PDB file of all heavy atoms in Angstrom:
ATOM      1  N   VAL T  30       9.893 -64.427  43.557  1.00 89.00           N
ATOM      2  CA  VAL T  30       8.645 -65.089  43.957  1.00 89.00           C
ATOM      3  C   VAL T  30       8.766 -65.672  45.354  1.00 89.00           C
ATOM      4  O   VAL T  30       7.843 -65.591  46.181  1.00 89.00           O
ATOM      5  CB  VAL T  30       8.282 -66.188  42.936  1.00 89.00           C
ATOM      6  CG1 VAL T  30       7.124 -67.039  43.451  1.00 89.00           C
ATOM      7  CG2 VAL T  30       7.921 -65.562  41.592  1.00 89.00           C
ATOM      8  N   ARG T  31       9.922 -66.235  45.661  1.00 90.00           N
ATOM      9  CA  ARG T  31      10.107 -66.920  46.939  1.00 90.00           C
ATOM     10  C   ARG T  31      10.367 -65.962  48.103  1.00 90.00           C
ATOM     11  O   ARG T  31       9.869 -66.186  49.221  1.00 90.00           O
ATOM     12  CB  ARG T  31      11.281 -67.905  46.807  1.00 90.00           C
ATOM     13  CG  ARG T  31      11.467 -68.827  47.995  1.00 90.00           C
ATOM     14  CD  ARG T  31      12.623 -69.783  47.786  1.00 90.00           C
ATOM     15  NE  ARG T  31      13.898 -69.082  47.709  1.00 90.00           N
ATOM     16  CZ  ARG T  31      14.728 -69.158  46.683  1.00 90.00           C
ATOM     17  NH1 ARG T  31      14.415 -69.908  45.625  1.00 90.00           N
ATOM     18  NH2 ARG T  31      15.876 -68.498  46.691  1.00 90.00           N
ATOM     19  N   GLU T  32      11.102 -64.864  47.852  1.00 91.00           N
ATOM     20  CA  GLU T  32      11.586 -64.056  48.980  1.00 91.00           C
ATOM     21  C   GLU T  32      11.244 -62.570  48.906  1.00 91.00           C
ATOM     22  O   GLU T  32      11.491 -61.847  49.870  1.00 91.00           O
ATOM     23  CB  GLU T  32      13.109 -64.197  49.100  1.00 91.00           C
ATOM     24  CG  GLU T  32      13.554 -65.651  49.307  1.00 91.00           C
ATOM     25  CD  GLU T  32      15.051 -65.767  49.562  1.00 91.00           C
ATOM     26  OE1 GLU T  32      15.561 -64.981  50.375  1.00 91.00           O
ATOM     27  OE2 GLU T  32      15.694 -66.631  48.936  1.00 91.00           O
ATOM     28  N   LEU T  33      10.702 -62.108  47.779  1.00 90.00           N
ATOM     29  CA  LEU T  33      10.439 -60.671  47.652  1.00 90.00           C
ATOM     30  C   LEU T  33       8.965 -60.320  47.525  1.00 90.00           C
ATOM     31  O   LEU T  33       8.631 -59.180  47.202  1.00 90.00           O
ATOM     32  CB  LEU T  33      11.213 -60.111  46.446  1.00 90.00           C
ATOM     33  CG  LEU T  33      12.735 -60.136  46.552  1.00 90.00           C
ATOM     34  CD1 LEU T  33      13.372 -59.619  45.267  1.00 90.00           C
ATOM     35  CD2 LEU T  33      13.207 -59.295  47.746  1.00 90.00           C
ATOM     36  N   GLY T  34       8.107 -61.285  47.753  1.00 86.00           N
ATOM     37  CA  GLY T  34       6.691 -60.946  47.748  1.00 86.00           C
ATOM     38  C   GLY T  34       5.861 -61.584  46.659  1.00 86.00           C
ATOM     39  O   GLY T  34       4.695 -61.220  46.483  1.00 86.00           O
ATOM     40  N   GLY T  35       6.422 -62.501  45.896  1.00 86.00           N
ATOM     41  CA  GLY T  35       5.624 -63.213  44.914  1.00 86.00           C
ATOM     42  C   GLY T  35       5.763 -62.691  43.501  1.00 86.00           C
ATOM     43  O   GLY T  35       6.646 -61.891  43.186  1.00 86.00           O
ATOM     44  N   GLU T  36       4.838 -63.160  42.641  1.00 85.00           N
ATOM     45  CA  GLU T  36       4.904 -62.844  41.214  1.00 85.00           C
ATOM     46  C   GLU T  36       4.829 -61.341  40.943  1.00 85.00           C
ATOM     47  O   GLU T  36       5.468 -60.839  40.009  1.00 85.00           O
ATOM     48  CB  GLU T  36       3.774 -63.552  40.464  1.00 85.00           C
ATOM     49  CG  GLU T  36       3.921 -65.065  40.381  1.00 85.00           C
ATOM     50  CD  GLU T  36       3.372 -65.775  41.599  1.00 85.00           C
ATOM     51  OE1 GLU T  36       3.007 -65.079  42.587  1.00 85.00           O
ATOM     52  OE2 GLU T  36       3.304 -67.023  41.582  1.00 85.00           O
ATOM     53  N   VAL T  37       4.041 -60.632  41.753  1.00 90.00           N
ATOM     54  CA  VAL T  37       3.882 -59.195  41.525  1.00 90.00           C
ATOM     55  C   VAL T  37       5.226 -58.481  41.645  1.00 90.00           C
ATOM     56  O   VAL T  37       5.535 -57.571  40.861  1.00 90.00           O
ATOM     57  CB  VAL T  37       2.859 -58.594  42.509  1.00 90.00           C
ATOM     58  CG1 VAL T  37       2.813 -57.066  42.376  1.00 90.00           C
ATOM     59  CG2 VAL T  37       1.478 -59.177  42.246  1.00 90.00           C
ATOM     60  N   ALA T  38       6.029 -58.888  42.610  1.00 91.00           N
ATOM     61  CA  ALA T  38       7.347 -58.259  42.794  1.00 91.00           C
ATOM     62  C   ALA T  38       8.204 -58.436  41.545  1.00 91.00           C
ATOM     63  O   ALA T  38       8.846 -57.478  41.085  1.00 91.00           O
ATOM     64  CB  ALA T  38       8.050 -58.856  44.007  1.00 91.00           C
ATOM     65  N   TRP T  39       8.194 -59.646  40.976  1.00 91.00           N
ATOM     66  CA  TRP T  39       9.003 -59.870  39.780  1.00 91.00           C
ATOM     67  C   TRP T  39       8.467 -59.076  38.595  1.00 91.00           C
ATOM     68  O   TRP T  39       9.228 -58.523  37.810  1.00 91.00           O
ATOM     69  CB  TRP T  39       9.071 -61.351  39.423  1.00 91.00           C
ATOM     70  CG  TRP T  39       9.763 -61.574  38.106  1.00 91.00           C
ATOM     71  CD1 TRP T  39       9.226 -62.071  36.961  1.00 91.00           C
ATOM     72  CD2 TRP T  39      11.119 -61.245  37.787  1.00 91.00           C
ATOM     73  NE1 TRP T  39      10.146 -62.088  35.958  1.00 91.00           N
ATOM     74  CE2 TRP T  39      11.333 -61.589  36.435  1.00 91.00           C
ATOM     75  CE3 TRP T  39      12.181 -60.707  38.519  1.00 91.00           C
ATOM     76  CZ2 TRP T  39      12.557 -61.398  35.799  1.00 91.00           C
ATOM     77  CZ3 TRP T  39      13.411 -60.510  37.885  1.00 91.00           C
ATOM     78  CH2 TRP T  39      13.585 -60.853  36.547  1.00 91.00           C
ATOM     79  N   VAL T  40       7.154 -59.023  38.444  1.00 88.00           N
ATOM     80  CA  VAL T  40       6.568 -58.255  37.333  1.00 88.00           C
ATOM     81  C   VAL T  40       6.988 -56.792  37.421  1.00 88.00           C
ATOM     82  O   VAL T  40       7.357 -56.166  36.423  1.00 88.00           O
ATOM     83  CB  VAL T  40       5.034 -58.388  37.332  1.00 88.00           C
ATOM     84  CG1 VAL T  40       4.410 -57.393  36.345  1.00 88.00           C
ATOM     85  CG2 VAL T  40       4.625 -59.804  36.965  1.00 88.00           C
ATOM     86  N   VAL T  41       6.949 -56.227  38.631  1.00 92.00           N
ATOM     87  CA  VAL T  41       7.338 -54.817  38.815  1.00 92.00           C
ATOM     88  C   VAL T  41       8.811 -54.626  38.459  1.00 92.00           C
ATOM     89  O   VAL T  41       9.187 -53.675  37.755  1.00 92.00           O
ATOM     90  CB  VAL T  41       7.058 -54.364  40.265  1.00 92.00           C
ATOM     91  CG1 VAL T  41       7.665 -52.983  40.523  1.00 92.00           C
ATOM     92  CG2 VAL T  41       5.564 -54.338  40.526  1.00 92.00           C
ATOM     93  N   ILE T  42       9.663 -55.528  38.935  1.00 93.00           N
ATOM     94  CA  ILE T  42      11.101 -55.420  38.649  1.00 93.00           C
ATOM     95  C   ILE T  42      11.349 -55.568  37.153  1.00 93.00           C
ATOM     96  O   ILE T  42      12.089 -54.766  36.553  1.00 93.00           O
ATOM     97  CB  ILE T  42      11.883 -56.484  39.445  1.00 93.00           C
ATOM     98  CG1 ILE T  42      11.793 -56.199  40.946  1.00 93.00           C
ATOM     99  CG2 ILE T  42      13.348 -56.525  38.997  1.00 93.00           C
ATOM    100  CD1 ILE T  42      12.301 -57.332  41.814  1.00 93.00           C
ATOM    101  N   TYR T  43      10.717 -56.564  36.544  1.00 91.00           N
ATOM    102  CA  TYR T  43      10.934 -56.801  35.118  1.00 91.00           C
ATOM    103  C   TYR T  43      10.463 -55.624  34.272  1.00 91.00           C
ATOM    104  O   TYR T  43      11.160 -55.184  33.352  1.00 91.00           O
ATOM    105  CB  TYR T  43      10.205 -58.074  34.695  1.00 91.00           C
ATOM    106  CG  TYR T  43      10.377 -58.407  33.233  1.00 91.00           C
ATOM    107  CD1 TYR T  43      11.547 -58.976  32.765  1.00 91.00           C
ATOM    108  CD2 TYR T  43       9.357 -58.122  32.318  1.00 91.00           C
ATOM    109  CE1 TYR T  43      11.713 -59.267  31.420  1.00 91.00           C
ATOM    110  CE2 TYR T  43       9.514 -58.407  30.975  1.00 91.00           C
ATOM    111  CZ  TYR T  43      10.686 -58.984  30.533  1.00 91.00           C
ATOM    112  OH  TYR T  43      10.849 -59.250  29.204  1.00 91.00           O
ATOM    113  N   GLN T  44       9.296 -55.101  34.582  1.00 90.00           N
ATOM    114  CA  GLN T  44       8.777 -53.978  33.794  1.00 90.00           C
ATOM    115  C   GLN T  44       9.625 -52.718  33.985  1.00 90.00           C
ATOM    116  O   GLN T  44       9.737 -51.899  33.064  1.00 90.00           O
ATOM    117  CB  GLN T  44       7.320 -53.695  34.170  1.00 90.00           C
ATOM    118  CG  GLN T  44       6.349 -54.777  33.742  1.00 90.00           C
ATOM    119  CD  GLN T  44       6.354 -55.010  32.235  1.00 90.00           C
ATOM    120  OE1 GLN T  44       6.609 -54.105  31.456  1.00 90.00           O
ATOM    121  NE2 GLN T  44       6.085 -56.243  31.818  1.00 90.00           N
ATOM    122  N   SER T  45      10.249 -52.576  35.145  1.00 93.00           N
ATOM    123  CA  SER T  45      11.159 -51.440  35.324  1.00 93.00           C
ATOM    124  C   SER T  45      12.337 -51.559  34.361  1.00 93.00           C
ATOM    125  O   SER T  45      12.832 -50.563  33.832  1.00 93.00           O
ATOM    126  CB  SER T  45      11.669 -51.383  36.769  1.00 93.00           C
ATOM    127  OG  SER T  45      12.620 -52.409  37.045  1.00 93.00           O
ATOM    128  N   GLY T  46      12.783 -52.796  34.122  1.00 92.00           N
ATOM    129  CA  GLY T  46      13.860 -53.003  33.165  1.00 92.00           C
ATOM    130  C   GLY T  46      13.446 -52.676  31.744  1.00 92.00           C
ATOM    131  O   GLY T  46      14.203 -52.080  30.982  1.00 92.00           O
ATOM    132  N   MET T  47      12.218 -53.061  31.367  1.00 90.00           N
ATOM    133  CA  MET T  47      11.735 -52.740  30.027  1.00 90.00           C
ATOM    134  C   MET T  47      11.618 -51.227  29.847  1.00 90.00           C
ATOM    135  O   MET T  47      11.945 -50.681  28.785  1.00 90.00           O
ATOM    136  CB  MET T  47      10.387 -53.410  29.780  1.00 90.00           C
ATOM    137  CG  MET T  47      10.417 -54.942  29.815  1.00 90.00           C
ATOM    138  SD  MET T  47      11.643 -55.691  28.674  1.00 90.00           S
ATOM    139  CE  MET T  47      13.031 -55.985  29.794  1.00 90.00           C
ATOM    140  N   ALA T  48      11.182 -50.550  30.893  1.00 92.00           N
ATOM    141  CA  ALA T  48      11.140 -49.081  30.835  1.00 92.00           C
ATOM    142  C   ALA T  48      12.550 -48.518  30.713  1.00 92.00           C
ATOM    143  O   ALA T  48      12.786 -47.513  30.014  1.00 92.00           O
ATOM    144  CB  ALA T  48      10.459 -48.532  32.083  1.00 92.00           C
ATOM    145  N   GLY T  49      13.505 -49.163  31.362  1.00 94.00           N
ATOM    146  CA  GLY T  49      14.894 -48.718  31.281  1.00 94.00           C
ATOM    147  C   GLY T  49      15.461 -48.836  29.875  1.00 94.00           C
ATOM    148  O   GLY T  49      16.193 -47.949  29.415  1.00 94.00           O
ATOM    149  N   ILE T  50      15.127 -49.929  29.168  1.00 92.00           N
ATOM    150  CA  ILE T  50      15.606 -50.091  27.793  1.00 92.00           C
ATOM    151  C   ILE T  50      15.098 -48.959  26.915  1.00 92.00           C
ATOM    152  O   ILE T  50      15.853 -48.363  26.132  1.00 92.00           O
ATOM    153  CB  ILE T  50      15.152 -51.450  27.222  1.00 92.00           C
ATOM    154  CG1 ILE T  50      15.895 -52.592  27.902  1.00 92.00           C
ATOM    155  CG2 ILE T  50      15.389 -51.505  25.717  1.00 92.00           C
ATOM    156  CD1 ILE T  50      15.478 -53.955  27.416  1.00 92.00           C
ATOM    157  N   VAL T  51      13.811 -48.659  27.037  1.00 91.00           N
ATOM    158  CA  VAL T  51      13.228 -47.590  26.229  1.00 91.00           C
ATOM    159  C   VAL T  51      13.867 -46.248  26.579  1.00 91.00           C
ATOM    160  O   VAL T  51      14.235 -45.460  25.693  1.00 91.00           O
ATOM    161  CB  VAL T  51      11.703 -47.530  26.433  1.00 91.00           C
ATOM    162  CG1 VAL T  51      11.097 -46.328  25.706  1.00 91.00           C
ATOM    163  CG2 VAL T  51      11.046 -48.823  25.945  1.00 91.00           C
ATOM    164  N   ALA T  52      14.022 -45.995  27.879  1.00 93.00           N
ATOM    165  CA  ALA T  52      14.636 -44.732  28.307  1.00 93.00           C
ATOM    166  C   ALA T  52      16.075 -44.623  27.819  1.00 93.00           C
ATOM    167  O   ALA T  52      16.529 -43.554  27.391  1.00 93.00           O
ATOM    168  CB  ALA T  52      14.586 -44.621  29.832  1.00 93.00           C
ATOM    169  N   GLY T  53      16.820 -45.731  27.862  1.00 94.00           N
ATOM    170  CA  GLY T  53      18.200 -45.715  27.398  1.00 94.00           C
ATOM    171  C   GLY T  53      18.306 -45.446  25.911  1.00 94.00           C
ATOM    172  O   GLY T  53      19.177 -44.691  25.465  1.00 94.00           O
ATOM    173  N   ALA T  54      17.411 -46.049  25.140  1.00 90.00           N
ATOM    174  CA  ALA T  54      17.419 -45.815  23.698  1.00 90.00           C
ATOM    175  C   ALA T  54      17.099 -44.355  23.385  1.00 90.00           C
ATOM    176  O   ALA T  54      17.705 -43.750  22.496  1.00 90.00           O
ATOM    177  CB  ALA T  54      16.414 -46.737  23.014  1.00 90.00           C
ATOM    178  N   LEU T  55      16.135 -43.781  24.116  1.00 91.00           N
ATOM    179  CA  LEU T  55      15.807 -42.371  23.916  1.00 91.00           C
ATOM    180  C   LEU T  55      16.967 -41.470  24.320  1.00 91.00           C
ATOM    181  O   LEU T  55      17.283 -40.487  23.632  1.00 91.00           O
ATOM    182  CB  LEU T  55      14.561 -42.010  24.723  1.00 91.00           C
ATOM    183  CG  LEU T  55      13.224 -42.547  24.212  1.00 91.00           C
ATOM    184  CD1 LEU T  55      12.135 -42.319  25.250  1.00 91.00           C
ATOM    185  CD2 LEU T  55      12.851 -41.891  22.888  1.00 91.00           C
ATOM    186  N   LEU T  56      17.611 -41.815  25.429  1.00 92.00           N
ATOM    187  CA  LEU T  56      18.706 -41.000  25.928  1.00 92.00           C
ATOM    188  C   LEU T  56      19.917 -41.055  25.006  1.00 92.00           C
ATOM    189  O   LEU T  56      20.629 -40.049  24.835  1.00 92.00           O
ATOM    190  CB  LEU T  56      19.094 -41.476  27.331  1.00 92.00           C
ATOM    191  CG  LEU T  56      20.228 -40.716  28.042  1.00 92.00           C
ATOM    192  CD1 LEU T  56      19.857 -39.248  28.223  1.00 92.00           C
ATOM    193  CD2 LEU T  56      20.535 -41.372  29.390  1.00 92.00           C
ATOM    194  N   ALA T  57      20.159 -42.210  24.386  1.00 89.00           N
ATOM    195  CA  ALA T  57      21.344 -42.380  23.536  1.00 89.00           C
ATOM    196  C   ALA T  57      21.398 -41.340  22.429  1.00 89.00           C
ATOM    197  O   ALA T  57      22.474 -40.834  22.082  1.00 89.00           O
ATOM    198  CB  ALA T  57      21.360 -43.787  22.936  1.00 89.00           C
ATOM    199  N   ALA T  58      20.240 -41.008  21.877  1.00 85.00           N
ATOM    200  CA  ALA T  58      20.215 -40.046  20.765  1.00 85.00           C
ATOM    201  C   ALA T  58      20.518 -38.629  21.223  1.00 85.00           C
ATOM    202  O   ALA T  58      20.867 -37.775  20.397  1.00 85.00           O
ATOM    203  CB  ALA T  58      18.849 -40.085  20.093  1.00 85.00           C
ATOM    204  N   ARG T  59      20.417 -38.379  22.518  1.00 87.00           N
ATOM    205  CA  ARG T  59      20.615 -37.023  23.036  1.00 87.00           C
ATOM    206  C   ARG T  59      21.977 -36.832  23.688  1.00 87.00           C
ATOM    207  O   ARG T  59      22.334 -35.719  24.057  1.00 87.00           O
ATOM    208  CB  ARG T  59      19.501 -36.685  24.022  1.00 87.00           C
ATOM    209  CG  ARG T  59      18.151 -36.521  23.326  1.00 87.00           C
ATOM    210  CD  ARG T  59      16.970 -36.667  24.279  1.00 87.00           C
ATOM    211  NE  ARG T  59      15.711 -36.383  23.593  1.00 87.00           N
ATOM    212  CZ  ARG T  59      15.106 -37.228  22.764  1.00 87.00           C
ATOM    213  NH1 ARG T  59      15.642 -38.402  22.520  1.00 87.00           N
ATOM    214  NH2 ARG T  59      13.964 -36.895  22.177  1.00 87.00           N
ATOM    215  N   LEU T  60      22.699 -37.910  23.859  1.00 85.00           N
ATOM    216  CA  LEU T  60      24.021 -37.819  24.463  1.00 85.00           C
ATOM    217  C   LEU T  60      25.042 -37.323  23.442  1.00 85.00           C
ATOM    218  O   LEU T  60      25.010 -37.727  22.283  1.00 85.00           O
ATOM    219  CB  LEU T  60      24.457 -39.187  24.987  1.00 85.00           C
ATOM    220  CG  LEU T  60      23.675 -39.769  26.162  1.00 85.00           C
ATOM    221  CD1 LEU T  60      24.102 -41.205  26.413  1.00 85.00           C
ATOM    222  CD2 LEU T  60      23.874 -38.929  27.412  1.00 85.00           C
ATOM    223  N   LYS T  61      25.933 -36.479  23.878  1.00 85.00           N
ATOM    224  CA  LYS T  61      27.035 -36.034  23.018  1.00 85.00           C
ATOM    225  C   LYS T  61      28.230 -36.935  23.304  1.00 85.00           C
ATOM    226  O   LYS T  61      29.070 -36.644  24.151  1.00 85.00           O
ATOM    227  CB  LYS T  61      27.358 -34.574  23.285  1.00 85.00           C
ATOM    228  CG  LYS T  61      26.243 -33.619  22.862  1.00 85.00           C
ATOM    229  CD  LYS T  61      26.645 -32.163  23.054  1.00 85.00           C
ATOM    230  CE  LYS T  61      25.532 -31.231  22.581  1.00 85.00           C
ATOM    231  NZ  LYS T  61      25.904 -29.794  22.752  1.00 85.00           N
TER     232      LYS T  61
END
């Protein structure tokens, strides 16, 4: 919020992490 452009920057970063959790869970089932 203070140095990267405000609340929107944090929301984008945070939501990328939530997408990462889902992607990781999906990927785990396909890894050998």
Side-chain angles (χ1 to χ4, degrees):
V30 171
R31 188 179 65 237
E32 301 186 46
L33 294 177
E36 291 85 352
V37 174
W39 173 245
V40 170
V41 171
I42 294 169
Y43 180 77
Q44 291 301 330
S45 73
M47 297 305 97
I50 290 179
V51 174
L55 287 170
L56 181 60
R59 291 160 175 77
L60 293 172
K61 293 184 178 180

